Amino acid sequence: GEELYITAWGNYDDGSKQYINTEVLWLSEDPGIASMPILQTSSTVTGVSVGTTEVSATLQGKKGRAKVNVAAP
């Protein structure tokens, strides 16, 4: 399927913002729709079948989510 690269940024209390892509744990809610590498440190999402699912990035108990919609070619 087609691949999508997503990014994660951390917003901190002091107002700073950091790129945290390699620090977070990535997970697809439904790998049958959109899969992520087994190592879960890569933010490449691959479309597997038509549908909508959510991917998440987790770091130190904080989680960010994004919806992924896979459409027919």
Side-chain angles (χ1 to χ4, degrees), residues 51-68:
T52 302
T53 190
E54 215 172 57
V55 295
S56 62
T58 305
L59 178 65
Q60 298 175 351
K62 306 284 184 187
K63 184 182 282 192
R65 295 180 176 91
K67 281 198 177 197
V68 175

Side-chain angles (χ1 to χ4, degrees), residues 4 27-35 45-56 65-72:
L4 171 69
L27 189 63
S28 173
E29 186 177 280
D30 188 341
I33 295 174
S35 68
V45 182
T46 303
V48 177
S49 65
V50 174
T52 302
T53 190
E54 215 172 57
V55 295
S56 62
R65 295 180 176 91
K67 281 198 177 197
V68 175
N69 183 38
V70 179

